[in-house]
Amino acid sequence: MPDFANMSKNGMLTKIHTRIRSDPFTANYDLAGKELGRGKFAVVKKCIEKSTGKQYAAKFLRLRRKGEDCRKDILNEIAVLESAKLNPYVVALHEVYETSHDIVLVLECAAGGEIFNQCVGDSDEAFTEEDVIRLVKQILNGVAFLHRNNVVHLDLKPQNILLTSARPLGDIRIVDFGLSRRMDSITEVREILGTPEYVAPEILNYEPISTATDMWSIGVLVYFMLTGDSPFLGDNKQETFLNISQISVDYSEETFEGISPLAVDFIKTLLVKNPRVRATAEECLTHPWLCPVSRPHLLTTSSSSSSSSHCSSLDEPETSQSESEPESPAPSPEMAVIETYALLCPGKSELKTGRAAFSFSESPFPTRPEIKQELIC
Ligand code: ADP
Ligand code: MG
């Protein structure tokens, strides 16, 4: 149920339930030395809880970024993690600490790293199509859960999809909810941060944003996982944006050599310009590519065994199910900043049922050449 008192005007959640501890993080955890990763405003380090010996990932988020207080952004990230705690494919939040400079999110450690690494690795490390199928089902389960709860991630990319283990291939964990928004109320989003290769055409065109915006990113992600190529990546951002707006995608047999036609068909249901026509997460889960019983034409190995379960079950995966399922990766860098949007009530949208839509609160919006210049990376 939407908790409007818990939301600010821009779709960010403002109220959290997790106690923010003010005792020193280092009193309870030892840093294990190894840096697990870093993003634009965060560094993530492995740590060990002293009382249990358990391993976690500590995400250090600076409270001030570019001179601005970002506490509310961090609270939003925490609140989204809290709201998704029942889903095993969303990284679990263990504890939160605050110091004068940082907020530290103590997260479940996804020791297998980013799926990105296995998309661009040597061929013997690369995912098989069966791997990708298993991982994509998990990603879709996690994303379907978020969307059912009116949360959009808005930064789905291979760097934000992690693995519980790389070898043997484990399960996926979706991380980085820094850009996530609730879509229940009239909401203004001052800026949208996204990654050029993964942004949907509606973002570039200042058209309404919805759960379908995440689905575009999943289409890009799956393309990358299967081929190792980023479908829209150009020599520069402008070229990338042009490729996206023209839906210029290489579906050649050469690129998809050894990959089943059903996989290509699946991607084509997502890399669709009109968000109203784009497949939803729940629809994707019933696509024959992911559904063993209706997937007789797969050209590559067809092991998909008992664990592949029924395709249409999109309910929050039960723990046992989640533990038995695998995961997947994808790639991409840079950040794009796009202007002010407003989020309209979902019911007013013409999108498919259950989709909330953002649309612009203010005009004038720049014409396309001007937009290009405003995308700051
Ligand atoms: P940012 O918002 O700065 O992009 P992320 O949450 O994406 O921060 O974290 C940055 C990187 O740190 C990720 O891309 C990943 O490589 C690593 N990382 C984040 N969370 C975890 C985790 N729970 N377990 C292991 N590595 C993580
Ligand atoms: Mg990230």
Side-chain angles (χ1 to χ4, degrees), residues 155 157 159-160 176:
D155 201 16
K157 58 180 178 179
Q159 292 86 346
N160 290 335
D176 195 356

Side-chain angles (χ1 to χ4, degrees), residues 220-370:
V220 181
L221 186 66
V222 175
Y223 188 110
F224 182 73
M225 289 170 75
L226 288 167
T227 66
D229 293 334
S230 184
F232 300 108
L233 184 63
D235 289 340
N236 51 50
K237 284 187 288 287
Q238 277 66 30
E239 208 176 289
T240 300
F241 295 143
L242 192 65
N243 290 338
I244 294 168
S245 66
Q246 294 177 342
I247 324 289
S248 172
V249 188
D250 172 12
Y251 288 116
S252 67
E253 283 181 18
E254 192 188 354
T255 299
F256 282 89
E257 193 185 343
I259 298 167
S260 72
L262 279 174
V264 178
D265 184 79
F266 178 86
I267 294 169
K268 286 181 176 173
T269 66
L270 293 170
L271 299 184
V272 172
K273 188 158 196 171
N274 184 348
R276 292 171 177 81
V277 179
R278 218 172 283 155
T280 65
E282 309 236 356
E283 286 166 352
C284 282
L285 279 159
T286 64
H287 188 282
W289 182 53
L290 299 181
C291 195
V293 290
S294 48
R295 182 156 59 89
H297 308 303
L298 195 63
L299 294 180
T300 55
T301 54
S302 58
S303 63
S304 74
S305 52
S306 44
S307 70
S308 304
S309 68
H310 44 285
C311 325
S312 55
S313 173
L314 303 183
D315 284 339
E316 297 83 84
E318 282 129 305
T319 308
S320 55
Q321 178 189 353
S322 73
E323 284 170 358
S324 65
E325 282 185 80
E327 308 140 34
S328 60
S332 183
E334 306 180 42
M335 306 297 283
V337 179
I338 297 181
E339 290 283 293
T340 301
Y341 293 74
L343 205 146
L344 296 180
C345 293
K348 305 233 163 80
S349 142
E350 290 174 14
L351 293 169
K352 293 179 186 179
T353 311
R355 282 183 177 166
F358 291 83
S359 71
F360 310 104
S361 59
E362 288 175 11
S363 55
F365 294 102
T367 57
R368 193 169 156 68
E370 292 168 307

Side-chain angles (χ1 to χ4, degrees), residues 14 59 99 120 124 127 171 217 225 290 292 344 365:
T14 54
K59 179 172 178 177
T99 69
V120 294
D124 57 332
F127 297 125
D171 294 333
S217 305
M225 289 170 75
L290 299 181
L344 296 180
F365 294 102

Side-chain angles (χ1 to χ4, degrees), residues 93-160:
L93 177 66
H94 180 56
E95 282 196 311
V96 180
Y97 287 79
E98 181 165 1
T99 69
S100 51
H101 292 102
D102 299 297
I103 288 186
V104 187
L105 309 188
V106 184
L107 300 161
E108 164 191 14
C109 184
E114 303 169 10
I115 59 170
F116 178 84
N117 301 324
Q118 287 184 60
C119 293
V120 294
D122 294 341
S123 56
D124 57 332
E125 289 176 358
F127 297 125
T128 66
E129 184 170 343
E130 288 299 315
D131 290 335
V132 175
I133 287 171
R134 191 172 66 90
L135 300 180
V136 168
K137 282 163 75 174
Q138 294 188 352
I139 295 168
L140 288 168
N141 265 297
V143 170
F145 180 94
L146 295 172
H147 290 179
R148 277 198 299 278
N149 289 289
N150 282 320
V151 170
V152 280
H153 186 285
L154 295 180
D155 201 16
L156 291 171
K157 58 180 178 179
Q159 292 86 346
N160 290 335

